[in-house]
Amino acid sequence: MRRGYAALGLLALIWGASFLFIKLAVRDMSPATLVLSRAAAGALTLALILAARRQTPFPAGTRARLLPFLVMALFGSLLPWFGIGFGELSISSALASILNATTPLWTAVFAYWVTPAERPSGLNYVGVAIGFLGTGILIAPDLIGQPLRATTIGTLAVAGAAASYAVAALVQRRRLRGVSPLQVGFWQLALATPLALAAALPTIGATHLQSALIAAIMVLGVGGSGIAYLLYYFMMNTLGGTRATTVTFLLPVTAVFWGASLLHEAITIPILAGMAVILLGVFLTSRPRKPRAPALSEDRGVA
């Protein structure tokens, strides 16, 4: 159990730091090229892990799952990574991480239609409303007077990335339940790589390779997409699904810490207020639905 919580803390630090390295990477490469580099490095890392475990990347049923894997590549990697990379051209890594924490809120909204049997409770939707209120607190300063300024567009891009992650989560829930996360991760990144290549071709030549950029790509690909999958898989086995997903609550905190300490990003009152409100909303949204009370037996009747 202690190892499970140690893995949770390490994963929060890795994924929280990802926003910082995205911020560093987009200074010298386009968001599309960053997506390509991250997907390729992550796919290679997971392929090596599969080989080390002597597991085949083509288990039974792979062909039937190619369409869900492709959807995961689009909504779980290509679109959100591009949205976050594009957003961090104009907003801080700390703000991007906080907006990314709205993913459970989007998931609850979409689940109403996609998974009717698992619809959130009334309290969960109160959490959704509170969470989006926190998002409004973050966006409001940029909307006043200049609604089309770069920071507003960047904020909306990262919010859209969070919504994309929610779509991927529901697809995995509906179509890939029970499939090894290692297999899902490998195919998600393997299919995302050629798609990212097509999008990145016009901008690859503008990349300025240097040691800091290479380090950022390695951290994002190997760490954020490779080792992170192993940690998450280990947490699922030791802590269970519910406890493992609490890493979402820690990402804004660790990302704000990394951004402030290494990039000297300003932590403003609206950012702190928005983070607190969003985390409250995410907490309420994640509360388990209470089981329904058993129906009255026929011999008791109804008053």
Side-chain angles (χ1 to χ4, degrees):
M1 184 69 74
R2 291 181 178 178
R3 291 182 178 180
Y5 283 111
L8 186 148
L10 180 57
L11 184 60
L13 289 172
I14 292 174
W15 274 346
S18 293
F19 295 94
L20 178 147
F21 286 102
I22 291 171
K23 184 75 173 180
L24 293 175
V26 293
R27 294 176 179 176
D28 297 300
M29 63 171 23
S30 70
T33 305
L34 173 60
V35 173
L36 170 62
S37 303
R38 183 174 181 180
L44 177 60
T45 300
L46 293 181
L48 293 175
I49 293 172
L50 284 169
R53 289 175 166 234
R54 297 183 178 179
Q55 295 180 7
T56 175
F58 303 96
T62 297
R63 181 176 297 180
R65 299 187 183 111
L66 283 179
L67 181 57
F69 285 150
L70 179 60
V71 175
M72 292 291 293
L74 284 171
F75 290 94
S77 295
L78 194 67
L79 294 178
W81 289 357
F82 179 83
I84 293 172
F86 175 79
E88 288 202 46
L89 289 172
S90 57
I91 67 174
S92 69
S93 63
L95 179 54
S97 71
I98 297 169
L99 291 165
N100 181 73
T102 63
T103 297
L105 308 180
W106 291 106
T107 305
V109 171
F110 298 153
Y112 186 87
W113 294 280
V114 179
T115 55
E118 300 178 7
R119 284 177 178 172
S121 65
L123 178 63
N124 297 150
Y125 281 113
V126 170
V128 171
I130 292 175
F132 284 124
L133 174 62
T135 305
I137 292 174
L138 293 175
I139 297 176
D142 287 331
L143 289 179
I144 298 175
Q146 295 177 306
L148 295 180
R149 61 193 299 183
T151 51
T152 302
I153 297 173
T155 298
L156 294 176
V158 179
S164 182
Y165 276 136
V167 173
L170 291 174
V171 169
Q172 184 175 16
R173 184 71 173 167
R174 284 290 300 270
R175 301 294 301 276
L176 298 171
R177 183 182 299 185
V179 181
S180 165
L182 197 54
Q183 296 286 347
V184 176
F186 169 76
W187 280 104
Q188 175 178 325
L189 295 173
L191 292 174
T193 300
L195 297 175
L197 175 61
L201 278 176
T203 59
I204 290 179
T207 301
H208 302 288
L209 279 179
Q210 52 181 322
S211 58
L213 176 60
I214 295 173
I217 293 172
M218 294 298 294
V219 170
L220 290 170
V222 178
S225 303
I227 296 174
Y229 271 102
L230 281 183
L231 290 172
Y232 189 71
Y233 185 63
F234 176 73
M235 287 162 50
M236 293 287 287
N237 288 335
T238 57
L239 301 179
T242 301
R243 290 178 180 174
T245 55
T246 57
V247 68
T248 304
F249 299 113
L250 301 177
L251 295 187
V253 179
T254 57
V256 168
F257 165 76
W258 287 120
S261 59
L262 298 182
L263 294 182
H264 306 292
E265 294 178 343
I267 307 301
T268 64
I269 292 178
I271 285 180
L272 292 176
M275 179 172 66
V277 175
I278 287 175
L279 291 182
L280 173 61
V282 171
F283 172 75
L284 293 177
T285 303
S286 66
R287 299 298 296 168
R289 189 185 186 100
K290 293 183 179 179
R292 294 182 178 180
L296 295 173
S297 59
E298 294 182 359
D299 58 344
R300 292 183 62 183
V302 180

